[in-house]
C-alpha cells in the first residue's frame, strides 16, 4: 500500500471538503452536553489510589464487573478493566458521593466542553457552517459558558411561549445544575501492579464516570417540539445522548415513553425537510435493555447514518443477537478488521441504515447502501477529512478553526492502520468484493452494499483521547451532506 499516495489524498480531501462546507445551510446538534473534568492519570496517582484499598478488595470487585459506580471500589475495578484492555468505557453514577471522593482523592487537570452534542456543536461552529443549532434540554448557565463564542452558533430560547434562536449563553435555563463527568485519561505503557498481578497498558485511552443527576431528563421542551420549524433551514441533524434514558422514572414513566417521544422528534424533523439526513453517534451504553431499545426502536428505520467505535460495534451486535460476531470483534479488535467489516455490515442491514461509519485506531470503514448519491471517491474524501480532524484534535485537544485543523495534515498515517488494511486485502479480493487496484483506492463493492476503507493519521502522544470519535463522525457527516448539497446545486 502506497503511504505517500494516502498522505496526498488526505491533503487534497481536506481542501476539497473545506470548499464544500458553504453549501450547508445548517445542522441541528442535540442532546447531550456536560462539563468534562479531565485527569491524566500518572504512575504516582495510580499507586496512591491503589494504596487506599486492600489489593484483594480491588481484584474481587473486578470479578463482579460493576455496570454502575456505587462506591470507590467500583471505580477502581472499572479503571483496572479499562486500563488492562486499553478500551474506552463510560460508566454511570447516580450518586454525588463519588464526585466528592474523586475531587478529594484524585482531582482533575482541567475542565472543558463534554458530551457528544456539546463537542460536536463547538466543532461544527468552528468549521464555519452557516448555522449550528445546539439543543440541550438541561442547558445550565455554567454549561452555556463552555460553548464557543461564535455568531453561527444558536440554541432555542423560549420567550413568552415563542421560540427564538440565540447564542447558548443567552439561552440557558435558570436554576439548573451542571452535569460534570470525570474523564480519567491513561497512557500507553503505564505499568500496573495489584495483588501480584501485573500488566502494561496497551494504548492511550480513557474511562468516563458519567454523572446522572436526578433532574437529567430526555425531554424536548413542548414549545421547541411544536415550533420545530423555527430552527430551519437545516440539512442534517446529529443526535446523541440517548444513553441517559432510564428504564423507569419516579413519575411512573418508562424508557418506552422516552423512546417514543424521541422517535416523534426525528419524524417531525424529517417531515419538515424530507431531504434531511439524521446521524446518531453511539457511545458506551451499559444497560442492555436501553442499548437494544435505542438500536431497534430509535435508530432502526428512523435514522440514516450511525457513527461508532469498535467496542460499540461489538456491544451493538451483542444485543442484536450476533454474539459470535460480537465476540470476534471485541477479542481481535484492531487486528480483527474482517470481523469489524462484517459486523458493521450486519448493523447496516439489521438497522436499515444508509451508512455506518466505524472509526478505529489507524483506519476507518464506512459501509454504504447501494445507490447512495455520492461516489465512493466522494465518500473517501469525507472520511479523509475526518481523519485530519481527529489528528488535529489529538494534537491540540480542541480545534478552533480551519487553520488549527490544518495541524492534522502534518501527522503521519498510522503504520498499524496500513498493516490492518493489508490484512484485509486478501479477504476482499478472494471474495471478489474488489480488485487489488480498487482496494488500493479504498473501494469495496459488495453484492448488496458498497464500502470505503481508509488508513488514518494517528498522533503518537495525544493531548487527550476523549471526544476524538465525535470529531471524526461530525466532520465526516457534515462533509457528506455538504457534498450532497453541492451535487444538486
Ligand atoms: P470514541 O471517542 O468514539 O471512542 O472514538 C475514539 C476514536 O479516536 C478512535 O476510534 C480513534 O479513531 C481515534 N483516536 C484515538 Br482513541 N487516539 C487517537 C490518536 N492518538 N490519534 C488520532 N486518532 C485517535
Ligand atoms: C460522552 C461522555 C462525555 C464525553 C463524550 C465524548 O458523551 O458522557 O463525558 O465528553 O462522550 O465523546
Amino acid at each position: 500500500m502506497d503511504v505517500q499516495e494516502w498522505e496526498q489524498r488526505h491533503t487534497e480531501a481536506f481542501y476539497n471538503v473545506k470548499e464544500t462546507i458553504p453549501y450547508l445551510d445548517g445542522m441541528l446538534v442535540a442532546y447531550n452536553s456536560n462539563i468534562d473534568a479531565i485527569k491524566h492519570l500518572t504512575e504516582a496517582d495510580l499507586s496512591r489510589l491503589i494504596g487506599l484499598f486492600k489489593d484483594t478488595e480491588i481484584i474481587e470487585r473486578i470479578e463482579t464487573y460493576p455496570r454502575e459506580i456505587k462506591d470507590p471500589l467500583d471505580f477502581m475495578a472499572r479503571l483496572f478493566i479499562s486500563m488492562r484492555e486499553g478500551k474506552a468505557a463510560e460508566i454511570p453514577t447516580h450518586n454525588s458521593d463519588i464526585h466528592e471522593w474523586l475531587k478529594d482523592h484524585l482531582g482533575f487537570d482541567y475542565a472543558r466542553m463534554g458530551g457528544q452534542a456539546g463537542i460536536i456543536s463547538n466543532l461544527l461552529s468552528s468549521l464555519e457552517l452557516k448555522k449550528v443549532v445546539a439543543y440541550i434540554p438541561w442547558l445550565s448557565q455554567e454549561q452555556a459558558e463552555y460553548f464557543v463564542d461564535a455568531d453561527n452558533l444558536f440554541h432555542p430560547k423560549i420567550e413568552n411561549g415563542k421560540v427564538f434562536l440565540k447564542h447558548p449563553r443567552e439561552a440557558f435555563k435558570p436554576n439548573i445544575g451542571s452535569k460534570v463527568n470525570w474523564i480519567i485519561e491513561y497512557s500507553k505503557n503505564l505499568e500496573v501492579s495489584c495483588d501480584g498481578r501485573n500488566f502494561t497498558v496497551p494504548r492511550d485511552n480513557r474511562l468516563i464516570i458519567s454523572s446522572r443527576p436526578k433532574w437529567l431528563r430526555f425531554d424536548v421542551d413542548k414549545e421547541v417540539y411544536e415550533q420545530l420549524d423555527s430552527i430551519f433551514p437545516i440539512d442534517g441533524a446529529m443526535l446523541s445522548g440517548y444513553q441517559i434514558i432510564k428504564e423507569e422514572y419516579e413519575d411512573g414513566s418508562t424508557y418506552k415513553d422516552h423512546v417514543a417521544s424521541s422517535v416523534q422528534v426525528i419524524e417531525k424533523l424529517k417531515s419538515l425537510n424530507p431531504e434531511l439526513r439524521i446521524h446518531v453517534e453511539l457511545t458506551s451504553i451499559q444497560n442492555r435493555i436501553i442499548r437494544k431499545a435505542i438500536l431497534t426502536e430509535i435508530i432502526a428505520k428512523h435514522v440514516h447514518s450511525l457513527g461508532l467505535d469498535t467496542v460499540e460495534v461489538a456491544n451493538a451486535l451483542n444485543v442484536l443477537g450476533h454474539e459470535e460476531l460480537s465476540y470476534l470483534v471485541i477479542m481481535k479488535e484492531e487486528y480483527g478488521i474482517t470481523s469489524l467489516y462484517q459486523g458493521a455490515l450486519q448493523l447496516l442491514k439489521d438497522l436499515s441504515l444508509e451508512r455506518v461509519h466505524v472509526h478505529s485506531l489507524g483506519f476507518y470503514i464506512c459501509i454504504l447502501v447501494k445507490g447512495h448519491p455520492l461516489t465512493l471517491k466522494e465518500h473517501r474524501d469525507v472520511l479523509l477529512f475526518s481523519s485530519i480532524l481527529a489528528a488535529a484534535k489529538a494534537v491540540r485537544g480542541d480545534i478552533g478553526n480551519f487553520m488549527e485543523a490544518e495541524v492534522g495534515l502534518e501527522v503521519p498515517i498510522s503504520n498499524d492502520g496500513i498493516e490492518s488494511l493489508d490484512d484485509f486485502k486478501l479477504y476482499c479480493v478472494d471474495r471478489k468484493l474488489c480488485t487489488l487496484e480498487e482496494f488500493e483506492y479504498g473501494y469495496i463493492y459488495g453484492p448488496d452494499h458498497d464500502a470505503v476503507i481508509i488508513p488514518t493519521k494517528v498522533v503518537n502522544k495525544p493531548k487527550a483521547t476523549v471526544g476524538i470519535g465525535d470529531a471524526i463522525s461530525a466532520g465526516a457527516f457534515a462533509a457528506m451532506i455538504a457534498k450532497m448539497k453541492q451535487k444538486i446545486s
Side-chain angles (χ1 to χ4, degrees):
M1 183 150 282
D2 188 340
V3 183
Q4 223 26 61
E5 181 113 43
W6 279 107
E7 292 285 5
Q8 185 61 26
R9 287 175 187 160
H10 265 89
T11 307
E12 282 166 13
F14 180 79
Y15 292 107
N16 167 303
V17 168
K18 187 177 175 200
E19 299 295 303
T20 320
I21 294 290
Y23 285 93
L24 274 174
D25 280 323
M27 184 85 85
L28 169 67
V29 188
Y31 296 88
N32 60 333
S33 131
N34 60 267
I35 298 165
D36 277 346
I38 301 181
K39 170 71 191 171
H40 287 264
L41 197 69
T42 62
E43 239 177 284
D45 293 326
L46 187 61
S47 48
R48 205 180 53 248
L49 286 178
I50 295 176
L52 297 172
F53 305 90
K54 286 197 198 110
D55 283 9
T56 48
E57 284 180 317
I58 300 177
I59 300 296
E60 277 165 25
R61 193 60 68 90
I62 290 173
E63 301 298 320
T64 69
Y65 200 78
R67 287 185 176 272
E68 184 184 331
I69 306 296
K70 292 195 176 135
D71 62 24
L73 263 178
D74 285 339
F75 164 73
M76 291 301 288
R78 288 308 299 248
L79 180 62
F80 267 67
I81 295 171
S82 177
M83 290 194 302
R84 191 178 60 201
E85 292 157 20
K87 283 186 183 142
E90 176 167 350
I91 324 293
T93 181
H94 295 93
N95 126 19
S96 59
D97 295 352
I98 196 73
H99 179 75
E100 294 307 318
W101 186 87
L102 286 166
K103 238 175 24 188
D104 293 346
H105 294 91
L106 189 60
F108 61 93
D109 303 325
Y110 58 99
R112 71 176 195 202
M113 172 63 98
Q116 295 140 294
I119 293 169
I120 292 173
S121 308
N122 277 354
L123 175 73
L124 294 183
S125 164
S126 303
L127 294 181
E128 297 167 24
L129 263 70
K130 279 194 201 95
K131 179 170 81 174
V132 178
V133 182
Y135 179 62
I136 317 296
W138 56 87
L139 185 66
S140 69
Q141 180 165 17
E142 188 188 12
Q143 180 70 66
E145 292 299 319
Y146 286 81
F147 282 85
V148 293
D149 185 10
D151 54 15
N152 60 351
L153 180 57
F154 303 90
H155 190 283
K157 168 83 180 161
I158 306 161
E159 280 170 357
N160 300 322
K162 212 168 154 4
V163 174
F164 296 91
L165 288 185
K166 303 213 162 165
H167 188 274
R169 292 181 196 177
E170 292 162 23
F172 62 86
K173 286 183 184 158
N175 311 320
I176 285 202
S178 297
K179 168 170 158 58
V180 179
N181 287 357
W182 286 80
I183 318 293
I184 319 299
E185 293 265 349
Y186 49 79
S187 303
K188 187 174 168 170
N189 296 333
L190 184 69
E191 299 287 344
V192 185
S193 158
C194 182
D195 198 27
R197 299 168 205 215
N198 307 325
F199 63 87
T200 306
V201 173
R203 92 166 64 120
D204 291 56
N205 224 323
R206 80 281 164 168
L207 172 75
I208 301 181
I209 307 301
S210 171
S211 77
R212 301 281 160 87
K214 275 208 169 66
W215 45 261
L216 204 63
R217 281 294 186 118
F218 209 78
D219 297 329
V220 171
D221 296 293
K222 186 168 141 281
E223 293 85 346
V224 173
Y225 178 75
E226 282 168 359
Q227 299 167 50
L228 215 45
D229 54 331
S230 60
I231 66 169
F232 280 70
I234 53 167
D235 314 296
M238 296 201 69
L239 307 179
S240 55
Y242 295 108
Q243 65 272 14
I244 69 153
I245 295 178
K246 293 198 292 186
E247 278 185 65
E248 285 174 358
Y249 290 81
E250 276 120 30
D251 65 2
S253 62
T254 72
Y255 71 96
K256 294 192 173 143
D257 303 304
H258 295 269
V259 164
S261 57
S262 307
V263 169
Q264 261 181 359
V265 175
I266 293 177
E267 288 308 316
K268 184 156 184 189
L269 283 168
K270 291 196 292 195
S271 73
L272 290 165
N273 172 7
E275 296 305 315
L276 189 94
R277 286 293 182 277
I278 309 243
H279 175 95
V280 166
E281 186 60 20
L282 218 60
T283 188
S284 180
I285 308 163
Q286 296 296 319
N287 182 313
R288 292 170 55 88
I289 294 175
I290 301 295
R291 193 193 303 155
K292 185 166 180 187
I294 293 171
L295 288 162
T296 58
E297 288 165 50
I298 299 180
I299 296 174
K301 300 192 186 71
H302 302 294
V303 162
H304 306 95
S305 166
L306 181 66
L308 68 181
D309 68 20
T310 49
V311 178
E312 289 152 10
V313 171
N315 290 345
L317 290 169
N318 197 280
V319 291
L320 294 174
H322 306 289
E323 286 88 0
E324 202 181 322
L325 191 50
S326 160
Y327 179 79
L328 290 174
V329 171
I330 204 77
M331 289 318 289
K332 297 201 189 151
E333 196 143 352
E334 267 31 285
Y335 311 101
I337 183 164
T338 307
S339 316
L340 194 59
Y341 163 76
Q342 291 165 341
L345 175 58
Q346 194 67 51
L347 293 181
L348 182 94
K349 290 180 181 168
D350 282 14
L351 305 177
S352 314
L353 294 159
E354 271 183 15
R355 168 180 191 271
V356 174
H357 179 176
V358 182
H359 42 81
S360 188
L361 196 64
F363 66 88
Y364 307 156
I365 302 179
C366 187
I367 315 276
L368 299 151
V369 281
K370 283 258 182 238
H372 191 282
L374 295 190
T375 62
L376 293 196
K377 157 80 167 65
E378 287 164 328
H379 280 294
R380 191 182 73 184
D381 281 353
V382 155
L383 298 189
L384 292 166
F385 175 69
S386 70
S387 160
I388 308 280
L389 295 183
K393 188 152 172 92
V395 172
R396 303 184 38 87
D398 259 323
I399 301 171
N401 53 46
F402 263 105
M403 235 169 66
E404 291 182 3
E406 278 177 5
V407 171
L409 290 167
E410 307 302 321
V411 174
I413 288 173
S414 152
N415 279 332
D416 291 349
I418 294 278
E419 274 176 29
S420 301
L421 259 61
D422 281 338
D423 292 344
F424 188 44
K425 187 160 52 187
L426 284 183
Y427 171 90
C428 292
V429 175
D430 281 354
R431 280 166 187 72
K432 304 214 168 7
L433 295 171
C434 55
T435 61
L436 264 183
E437 196 189 359
E438 284 161 348
F439 190 87
E440 297 294 324
Y441 283 107
Y443 306 154
I444 295 168
Y445 303 93
D448 50 4
H449 66 280
D450 292 329
V452 174
I453 179 158
I454 64 156
T456 63
K457 294 177 174 256
V458 169
V459 174
N460 203 2
K461 287 202 163 56
K463 179 142 189 233
T465 60
V466 66
I468 300 183
D470 303 333
I472 297 168
S473 292
F477 183 68
M480 179 189 78
I481 313 188
K483 279 187 175 287
M484 285 164 71
K485 287 208 75 185
Q486 181 185 32
K487 272 203 147 162
I488 55 168
S489 71

